[in-house]
Amino acid sequence: MLNPALTSRIVKVPCAGGVEPNMADYDQTVANFTWDGVRRTLNGLPAGGLNIAHEAVDRHVHVGRGQRIAIRWIGKDGARRQFSYLELMQASNRFANALRQRGVQPGERVFALMGRVPELYVAVLGALKARCVISPLFSAFGPEPIATRAEMGNARVLVTTPELYRRKVQGLRDRLAELRHVLLVGEAANDISDSSVEPWSDVVDSCSPDYTIEPTDPEEVALLHFTSGTTGRPKGALLVHAAVLAHAATGWYALDLHPDDVFWCTADPGWVTGTSYGIFAPLVNGVTNVIAETEFDAATWYNILEQERVSVWYTAPTAIRMMMKLGTEALRHHDLTALRFMASVGEPLNPEAVVWSQEAFGRPFHDNWWQTETGGIMVANYASMDIKPGSMGKPLPGITAAIVRRTGSGIVVIDTPDTDGELALRAPWPSMMRGYLHEDERYRKCFVDSWYLSGDLARRDTQGYYWFVGRADDVIKSAGHLIGPFEVESALIEHPAVAEAGVIGIPDPTVGEVVKAFVALKPGFEASEALQLELLGHARKRLGAAVAPKEIAFRTNLPKTRSGKIMRRLLKARELGLPEGDLSSLESDEK
Ligand code: ATP
Ligand code: MG
């Protein structure tokens, strides 16, 4: 069990900053919600159909909001660029024209491999306007993961920088048989003498700023997103233009975006949070979207929050834990009065982190849950709702969630509250994936009796709040108990010495599996046998002997994916001397 002293502490922030939440009452909103209603708030293409880029950008220009700042970009070196909605419309039109001029056809795949620079955002929106499928990749990936994904995705166009091209793509060009056009952003690259490679400035800047988007079927594929690869080889999820309905609704309800907000999502577009919420949801909701090129550094991040007067902030537990590691002192001299809503996604948010944020920022992080496959937030803590620290909240209006158990022939829905089972969502919804690239069988297996099965275990309490238990693959079976690593990790990080914890099961002939924990310490604490015993004692006291780890090992860092998730499968493989499997998503280069 998660610590009742934390989870029973209800955190309520009534009307933060004097702004009324978009969702006044959860039950009432659920009762009145329809996806058709969301569709009516959007525009649709003049020529017919629905296109994400039109709803995100052009629509605002057509209703006279073209001068509003759409993107405010802050470079690593402090350089700044901003684009109004009108300028972003014109820039993305140029890119769509450039694709058309080069004969790139609707449905063909455009890959982007860049840091968070404005051209990346322009390319994503422009490719969608040209009805191409866009696939952004992490610029920090090495050559192999890039080649594998681009090869799998039949990349036709690649937008990258000369430096990334030289280091990561050039040597593997022979594997990318279908790649016809490479556009290089930034400095000149006279040393690259391949006829398919052209400078962005030559190709795009000379194109017309006018572009008419062709009718786009809402079911047309828009995005190819690879999953984080936390549990194995990344899967290529295909999302369609209709997903924009979910971007609109979740931006409005789950992130509580108001038209005057300044929003900052810290995720990279290389994973789905960085596109759904780093690009589409804020733009669809017409806010100013801050893009920071820099990686995590608490001081820099606090400066950005202060200087940009960020009002809504969406980040991830890994960053929050790093901030916790530094304590509240680092925050002291920053004026964060503009900040009114903070949300988190990607991993379970330990109750300790919610309570800490309430103390440190004067407002709590609102955890929400979703996956690459769901295309948008599915379960969330809403601005108007009390938070139970450690809970990921309630299903989005328009989404039916359930806790289910798989049987040999189908599934049964578990109605009894507080019972562990698999988190399932009733299919379909607009942003649901419509396929896994080249893996039809795997895709089909995700659906049983019209439910999408998430592969995550959770429980629902008597008040309808959902609680994450663990990934089905990570759950530990010990002496007849089912143990979710999250509750053990959460208990460990309540200890003042612990910054992060990763918990796995080690096979054991007597009890099935025994719980082993790996912990990284906060600055100022040294690994020692005494601390090990203290942590074991702390965990046993908090969790009871059956659930507490039997062993604790210290690590300087825990292995993580590029999107910052603890890779328990790798901790386990290393512990047991098993093959480490696909490591293409590993954060560091320790492969
Ligand atoms: P792969 O599917 O390749 O193993 P992944 O599941 O980490 O990688 P993503 O789609 O990026 O890829 O992540 C979704 C998963 O992240 C969820 O299924 C869940 O396990 C975890 N997750 C996301 N948000 C939360 C949250 N708020 N609480 C708990 N877990 C979360
Ligand atoms: Mg997954």
Side-chain angles (χ1 to χ4, degrees), residues 140-316:
F141 275 152
E144 188 50 43
I146 291 168
T148 316
R149 287 166 177 76
E151 195 177 9
M152 238 175 112
N154 308 93
R156 177 69 77 188
V157 179
L158 173 68
V159 187
T160 185
T161 64
E163 196 225 335
L164 289 168
Y165 184 77
R166 279 187 213 103
R167 276 184 26 221
K168 306 189 177 187
V169 183
Q170 204 160 23
L172 297 165
R173 269 303 292 265
D174 53 339
R175 282 177 51 190
L176 306 176
E178 297 190 38
L179 184 60
R180 296 285 146 72
H181 307 282
V182 178
L183 300 183
L184 297 182
V185 172
E187 82 272 25
N190 302 329
D191 58 313
I192 304 172
S193 60
D194 182 316
S195 61
S196 66
V197 181
E198 298 173 275
W200 165 288
S201 51
D202 287 4
V203 177
V204 181
D205 295 351
S206 57
C207 284
S208 160
D210 299 320
Y211 184 84
T212 304
I213 306 176
E214 295 160 3
T216 309
D217 185 334
E219 285 300 308
E220 222 172 87
V221 176
L223 290 145
L224 165 61
H225 253 302
F226 291 91
T227 59
S228 293
T230 315
T231 53
R233 191 163 54 84
K235 297 147 272 185
L238 296 163
L239 307 174
V240 297
H241 280 275
V244 71
L245 272 73
H247 302 146
T250 53
W252 181 255
Y253 288 125
L255 298 179
D256 198 40
L257 293 176
H258 288 60
D260 292 332
D261 273 320
V262 176
F263 173 70
W264 181 28
C265 166
T266 60
D268 188 277
W271 84 291
V272 72
T273 303
T275 53
S276 290
Y277 297 97
I279 310 180
F280 308 132
L283 296 181
V284 170
N285 280 282
V287 308
T288 292
N289 193 28
V290 170
I291 297 164
E293 193 185 10
T294 169
E295 293 309 322
F296 178 79
D297 167 67
T300 313
W301 279 27
Y302 295 153
N303 279 337
I304 292 173
L305 291 171
E306 178 173 355
Q307 282 159 15
E308 306 308 322
R309 308 237 5 112
V310 171
S311 53
V312 180
W313 184 30
Y314 195 23
T315 189

Side-chain angles (χ1 to χ4, degrees), residues 227-231 235 371-373 436 452 454 456 471 565:
T227 59
S228 293
T230 315
T231 53
K235 297 147 272 185
Q371 313 176 303
T372 309
E373 292 87 339
Y436 277 136
Y452 165 73
S454 69
D456 284 347
R471 292 167 185 266
K565 298 165 196 250

Side-chain angles (χ1 to χ4, degrees), residues 83-104:
F83 290 71
S84 65
Y85 276 92
L86 174 66
E87 287 163 337
L88 190 57
M89 176 176 94
Q90 293 178 331
S92 50
N93 282 349
R94 286 198 169 93
F95 187 77
N97 278 319
L99 292 176
R100 279 288 178 275
Q101 276 180 11
R102 269 148 189 75
V104 181

